[in-house]
């Protein structure tokens, strides 16, 4: 794919386009303290494409032209910015998308790390498989802004349960 055609994948005036949305989300996540500087990563699966924020770029400064685009089926990059590196989180993103996720946010916020450590500790104490564990929460107002899930209508409610899988993170 030539660079002009590849750029068509990321250039859109629509604020909900994945390349634009990732930039907005990363700016917000930085301002909320969910990601710091170049830490963490974000990716959105949209149809056959995966839009991936690059590695080593300040998340609050991302632009749509910084995005990598991968074909989900072939796992081949359709668009690669020439001076940037693909996210080191890409294997985590693919694992999440293989489980049916539509978006993946990899964060190193203190709260996310704490939740992961607590879930893993509880699994070990119960002799459960740590790798199949999820963070689950219910009876909390904040989940009312989260969709019920792929193929389901509406948003979660106070009495619903939000389940977030915890996927092992490795240095490489």
């Amino acid at each position: 794919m030539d660079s002009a055609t590849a750029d068509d994948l990321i250039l859109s005036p629509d604020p909900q386009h994945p390349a634009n949305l990732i930039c907005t989300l990363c700016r917000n996540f930085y301002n909320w303290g969910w990601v710091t500087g170049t830490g963490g990563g974000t990716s959105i699966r949209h149809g056959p494409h995966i839009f991936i924020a690059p590695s080593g770029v300040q998340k609050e400064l991302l632009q749509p032209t910084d995005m990598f685009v991968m074909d989900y089926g072939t796992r081949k990059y359709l668009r690669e910015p020439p001076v940037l590196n693909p996210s080191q989180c890409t294997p985590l993103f693919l694992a999440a998308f293989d489980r049916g996720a539509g978006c993946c946010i990899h964060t190193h916020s203190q709260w996310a790390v704490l939740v992961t450590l607590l879930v893993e500790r509880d699994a070990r104490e119960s002799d459960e498989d740590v790798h199949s564990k999820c963070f689950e929460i219910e009876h909390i107002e904040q989940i009312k802004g989260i969709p019920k899930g792929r193929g389901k209508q509406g948003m979660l409610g106070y009495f619903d349960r939000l389940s977030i899988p915890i996927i092992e993170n490795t240095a490489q």
Side-chain angles (χ1 to χ4, degrees), residues 11-171:
L11 298 176
S12 172
D14 180 2
Q16 296 300 307
H17 183 280
N20 295 327
L21 192 54
I22 287 173
C23 296
T24 300
L25 289 171
C26 285
R27 243 183 326 278
N28 289 339
F29 296 159
Y30 175 81
N31 290 330
W32 296 334
W34 294 3
V35 296
T36 56
T38 63
T42 304
S43 181
I44 295 175
R45 180 173 176 197
H46 185 70
H49 300 131
I50 300 173
F51 294 80
I52 305 168
S55 184
V57 175
Q58 297 288 122
K59 300 305 182 246
E60 73 277 17
L61 301 178
L62 283 174
Q63 298 296 316
T65 52
D66 296 332
M67 296 301 127
F68 285 79
V69 182
M70 178 185 281
D71 179 273
Y72 179 69
T74 65
R75 306 294 211 254
K76 303 266 188 233
Y77 285 104
L78 303 173
R79 183 180 190 283
E80 298 179 77
V83 297
L84 298 174
N85 295 314
S87 176
Q88 292 179 338
C89 303
T90 300
L92 290 171
F93 297 152
L94 294 173
F97 296 137
D98 288 345
R99 291 180 176 196
C103 177
C104 187
I105 303 162
H106 179 187
T107 177
H108 293 269
S109 76
Q110 294 173 349
W111 303 114
V113 171
L114 178 61
V115 164
T116 299
L117 292 172
L118 292 173
V119 169
E120 289 175 347
R121 181 205 61 198
D122 291 350
R124 284 190 192 93
E125 288 177 358
S126 304
D127 286 329
E128 296 178 65
D129 178 18
V130 173
H131 303 297
S132 66
K133 296 307 294 176
C134 292
F135 167 68
E136 296 180 327
I137 191 167
E138 58 192 349
H139 300 117
I140 188 164
E141 291 289 323
Q142 286 82 349
I143 67 171
K144 292 181 0 182
I146 298 174
K148 287 189 174 182
R150 191 177 301 270
K152 298 178 183 175
Q153 294 294 316
M155 307 299 256
L156 292 175
Y158 178 83
F159 295 103
D160 292 321
R161 176 177 291 176
L162 172 64
S163 182
I164 302 172
I166 296 177
I167 301 171
E168 180 81 20
N169 185 21
T170 60

